[in-house]
Amino acid sequence: KSKQPDPEYFLAVEIHESLIKTALWEILETEPSVVNIGSFESWEDESSLINGVDMSLDQAVKVISSQPKRVIFGLPDSWMEEDKIHPTKIKLISKLCKDLGLEPIGAVTINRAVAHYLKKKEGVPPTTILLELYTTKIALSFNNQNQINKLPHHKVVVTGNLLRYELFINNKTPLIKTQKPIIYVTAGNQGSHS
């Protein structure tokens, strides 16, 4: 019998405006999967962010004996600029990694990660709109400038980057067949997660 190789573990840290979520992932034979989810923690400043990530990661890794250090960050759209962490957030992410002994291996906007997952698992159409709910705002993510142009600009502030159209191109048949936009809701505030 050939022994199956040990899984390769890594961490995911998802930071929202006031909420932290973490997960322990493994890669076995090139296929990633979630092993365990950490606790949901709220944060409001640098100290509470670092402490919250630490507490959440403690919960995520309690199911294994090793202590993985490699981490991928899921960040709000406003924290990223042209596929890189925004210059105003680099110091905070660097301090977080240094204080917790983490080795950053990548970062992605949360909405891009959700769009990629939905494309892969459900075959979402290119008219999809992603919606994040916060206590003080609602964030919409589009992949098409025409969708943004239809918003009432006297009532909304348009910021951030469009989702890349190629995230929505796929060969799967959508689970929901409609020509109307499909809205997927991701919640960014505690107690609002489904």
Side-chain angles (χ1 to χ4, degrees), residues 33-44:
S33 64
V34 175
V35 175
N36 199 27
I37 306 269
S39 56
F40 290 72
E41 303 291 337
S42 60
W43 74 281
E44 56 190 42

Side-chain angles (χ1 to χ4, degrees), residues 24-66:
L24 172 67
W25 288 72
E26 72 178 354
I27 298 178
L28 245 169
E29 298 180 12
T30 72
E31 195 62 37
S33 64
V34 175
V35 175
N36 199 27
I37 306 269
S39 56
F40 290 72
E41 303 291 337
S42 60
W43 74 281
E44 56 190 42
D45 57 22
E46 181 180 286
S47 176
S48 62
L49 173 68
I50 293 168
N51 290 332
V53 169
D54 191 32
M55 289 188 300
S56 184
L57 285 175
D58 282 347
Q59 293 298 309
V61 300
K62 70 181 182 182
V63 297
I64 61 171
S65 58
S66 62

Side-chain angles (χ1 to χ4, degrees), residues 87-100:
T88 60
K89 301 299 181 186
I90 288 175
K91 186 177 177 184
L92 179 60
I93 296 294
S94 295
K95 181 163 176 39
L96 171 68
C97 290
K98 181 181 176 194
D99 287 5
L100 299 182

